[in-house]
């Protein structure tokens, strides 16, 4: 398996994946000046076990919450892709169907579609969730709930030993384990030794799925949960009985603490009526419609306010429209498209677009 990872064909494929969308970056151009020798050097380092990743470059993103992103050197990203090329076919077939992050033919939109399908099954297309008014008081009868859970500081708290043990169940080649340890130990000094993986690494997304696969199996096979969806460390469980979800929450918390050294985020883990709508992966999902989260609308407004080039502005708006097309926000999309169509005819294009859209 390690020999396959180190093969020139695998490293070249990994290089192609690592450069995708970044062909004009200076570090990619520099690497390509002597591409064959650079790949051969990487291969030699791997075969001789002399490979050592370069220090990560860390920066802060506020989008909208503050996150610390760690960026690997380009040559290390090639190694990451080479490793995942080998591991992904082995582990992906062990993942449950309803794990949607960083997997082929999955993604956030498909997870939201699955969310809608499950809530319709639980509520019989909304028939079991309704309210009626008696005199001046509102009496609501609800038979559909969702437990929306979030794991506290997931990537910072991921335990290296537990992750290695999980991977070692299927990967017996000690050289692969050596390389994984090399990648795991390359993190900023402020992270506690023996736990935490950096946000921004391609391997972190994959390891995140591997680490919580045990939780998926526990929920599906031990707790016998039929309607369950996970996207990275966010997951939802649907049921008609609120008390049942309360018990599930307690059992899941115990499992996480005892087996994975993690815990649920107390502020973000809640049981809600499906009647009230649920925030899920950037959308507000109701029984009969889907809306965008207000903070995502504010985010694009902020982005537009900072842009001073029409082409960049158009790219930003078109990207937002691709996301917004999944929701029921006709007037917002119409306002944006009108801005783009009519804004071309104005001299002060950017000022016109900003004023018109930001006032929406």
């Amino acid at each position: 398996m390690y020999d396959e990872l180190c093969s020139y064909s695998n490293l070249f494929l990994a290089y192609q994946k690592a450069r995708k969308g970044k062909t004009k970056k200076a570090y990619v151009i520099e690497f390509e000046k002597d591409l064959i020798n650079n790949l051969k050097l990487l291969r030699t380092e791997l075969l001789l076990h002399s490979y050592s990743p370069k220090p990560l470059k860390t920066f802060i993103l506020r989008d909208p919450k503050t996150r610390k992103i760690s960026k690997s050197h380009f040559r290390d990203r090639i190694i990451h892709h080479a490793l995942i090329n080998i591991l992904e076919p082995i582990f992906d077939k062990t993942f449950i169907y309803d794990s949607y992050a960083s997997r082929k033919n999955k993604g956030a939109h498909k997870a939201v579609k699955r969310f809608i399908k499950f809530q319709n099954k639980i509520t019989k297309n909304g028939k079991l969730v309704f309210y009626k008014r008696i005199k001046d008081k509102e009496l609501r009868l609800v038979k559909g709930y969702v437990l929306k859970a979030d794991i506290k500081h997931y990537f910072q708290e991921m335990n290296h030993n537990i992750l290695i043990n999980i991977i070692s169940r299927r990967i017996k080649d000690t050289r692969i384990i050596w390389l994984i340890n090399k990648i795991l130990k390359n993190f900023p000094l402020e992270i506690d030794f023996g736990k935490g993986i950096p946000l921004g690494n391609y391997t972190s997304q994959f390891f995140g799925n591997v680490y919580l696969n045990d939780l998926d199996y526990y929920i599906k096979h031990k707790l016998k949960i039929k309607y369950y969806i996970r996207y990275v460390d966010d997951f939802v469980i649907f049921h008609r009985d609120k008390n049942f979800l309360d018990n599930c929450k307690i059992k899941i918390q115990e499992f996480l603490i005892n087996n994975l050294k993690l815990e649920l985020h107390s502020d973000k883990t809640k049981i809600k009526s499906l009647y009230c709508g649920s925030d899920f992966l950037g959308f507000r999902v109701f029984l009969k419609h889907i809306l965008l989260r207000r903070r995502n609308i504010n985010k694009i407004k902020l982005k537009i306010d900072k842009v001073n080039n029409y082409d960049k502005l158009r790219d930003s708006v078109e990207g937002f429209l691709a996301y917004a097309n999944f929701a029921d926000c006709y007037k917002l999309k119409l306002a944006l498209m009108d801005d783009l169509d009519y804004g071309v005819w104005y001299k002060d294009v950017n000022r016109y677009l900003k004023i018109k859209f930001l006032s929406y």
Side-chain angles (χ1 to χ4, degrees):
M1 188 179 290
Y2 190 74
D3 293 335
E4 185 183 349
L5 186 151
C6 298
S7 68
Y8 187 81
S9 59
N10 185 45
L11 288 174
F12 186 77
L13 176 62
Y15 147 74
Q16 289 179 312
K17 289 182 177 180
R19 77 190 283 272
K20 192 174 181 180
K22 300 176 179 67
T23 53
K24 295 182 180 179
K25 296 286 186 180
Y27 56 80
V28 176
I29 295 170
E30 182 65 27
F31 190 88
E32 289 174 339
K33 286 179 181 178
D34 195 9
L35 175 61
I36 294 174
N37 285 329
N38 282 331
L39 289 179
K40 283 182 177 178
L41 180 60
L42 273 179
R43 183 170 184 270
T44 302
E45 288 179 12
L46 288 171
L47 290 172
L48 295 178
H49 283 203
S50 62
Y51 167 72
S52 184
K54 293 182 180 293
L56 300 170
K57 291 184 179 179
T58 301
F59 54 95
I60 303 296
L61 270 187
R62 293 177 175 85
D63 193 16
K65 63 183 180 182
T66 301
R67 293 179 296 168
K68 189 173 287 187
I69 307 296
S70 297
K71 185 179 178 182
S72 295
H73 193 276
F74 182 66
R75 74 194 300 271
D76 295 324
R77 279 180 253 168
I78 294 173
I79 300 295
H80 296 171
H81 279 277
L83 176 65
I84 302 305
N85 286 347
I86 301 301
L87 296 183
E88 190 174 45
I90 296 169
F91 282 93
D92 191 72
K93 60 187 178 185
T94 71
F95 296 156
I96 65 167
Y97 180 85
D98 287 311
S99 172
Y100 284 89
S102 306
R103 295 180 65 195
K104 292 177 183 177
N105 302 318
K106 298 288 184 179
H109 282 181
K110 289 197 175 182
V112 174
K113 285 181 180 179
R114 192 71 163 169
F115 187 104
I116 295 165
K117 182 177 181 178
F118 283 171
Q119 80 170 2
N120 287 340
K121 283 181 175 291
I122 286 291
T123 64
K124 293 188 177 179
N125 295 323
K127 292 176 184 176
L128 294 183
V129 182
F130 63 90
Y131 70 96
K132 54 186 176 182
R133 195 174 295 277
I134 298 178
K135 294 182 180 179
D136 292 330
K137 295 182 180 179
E138 188 179 276
L139 178 65
R140 185 182 302 164
L141 174 64
V142 179
K143 288 189 178 178
Y145 298 90
V146 60
L147 165 61
K148 187 177 182 300
D150 181 274
I151 295 174
K152 187 177 181 180
H153 302 149
Y154 176 50
F155 285 98
Q156 295 95 312
E157 295 295 326
M158 196 182 296
N159 187 283
H160 294 178
N161 288 335
I162 293 175
L163 176 61
I164 291 296
N165 287 337
I166 292 170
I167 292 173
S168 297
R169 293 176 202 162
R170 294 189 172 272
I171 305 300
K172 303 304 179 184
D173 192 327
T174 55
R175 295 170 296 175
I176 296 279
I177 302 301
W178 167 82
L179 180 58
I180 293 171
N181 269 312
K182 276 283 185 183
I183 293 169
L184 290 177
K185 289 175 182 175
N186 185 38
F187 53 69
L189 292 175
E190 59 269 22
I191 296 178
D192 291 343
F193 184 77
K195 68 176 184 179
I197 58 176
L199 280 170
N201 273 3
Y202 178 55
T203 50
S204 298
Q205 303 168 30
F206 176 75
F207 291 152
N209 275 339
V210 171
Y211 199 84
L212 286 184
N213 197 36
D214 281 5
L215 174 67
D216 296 340
Y217 275 70
Y218 175 74
I219 291 174
K220 294 292 288 183
H221 300 294
K222 295 290 185 182
L223 299 183
K224 306 292 183 183
I225 302 297
K226 188 176 181 181
Y227 302 118
Y228 164 73
I229 301 168
R230 182 174 65 81
Y231 192 93
V232 195
D233 60 326
D234 290 327
F235 62 89
V236 289
I237 298 173
F238 301 83
H239 205 272
R240 289 176 188 159
D241 186 348
K242 188 178 180 182
N243 292 329
F244 177 84
L245 291 178
D246 275 322
N247 290 330
C248 284
K249 179 181 171 183
I250 294 168
K251 290 177 181 177
I252 289 169
Q253 177 76 305
E254 289 175 356
F255 178 86
L256 286 171
I257 292 171
N258 295 332
N259 294 275
L260 300 175
K261 297 189 185 303
L262 299 171
E263 58 181 303
L264 295 175
H265 200 300
S266 56
D267 295 333
K268 297 180 180 179
T269 302
K270 298 176 181 178
I271 298 172
K272 292 184 66 178
S273 159
L274 290 171
Y275 173 83
C276 301
S278 308
D279 285 344
F280 188 59
L281 302 182
F283 297 93
R284 292 163 59 205
V285 185
F286 294 85
L287 287 170
K288 301 297 181 184
H289 61 284
I290 305 174
L291 300 177
L292 302 178
R293 293 182 70 176
R294 172 51 61 181
R295 78 178 190 186
N296 289 349
I297 298 174
N298 292 338
K299 176 181 162 184
I300 188 65
K301 287 183 177 182
L302 218 81
K303 195 170 184 179
I304 283 178
D305 195 36
K306 292 179 181 178
V307 172
N308 55 13
N309 176 281
Y310 181 75
D311 290 331
K312 288 183 180 178
L313 184 65
R314 190 180 187 93
D315 289 342
S316 295
V317 173
E318 286 178 350
F320 181 77
L321 285 173
Y323 153 71
N325 277 337
F326 198 72
D328 303 306
C329 50
Y330 177 75
K331 288 184 179 179
L332 174 62
K333 291 185 284 187
L334 196 65
L336 275 171
M337 288 187 283
D338 283 349
D339 285 349
L340 289 176
D341 290 340
Y342 292 116
V344 179
W345 306 104
Y346 284 74
K347 284 185 178 180
D348 194 356
V349 172
N350 297 316
R351 183 173 178 275
Y352 170 77
L353 284 172
K354 288 176 189 177
I355 290 172
K356 188 171 181 185
F357 179 61
L358 294 174
S359 65
Y360 175 78

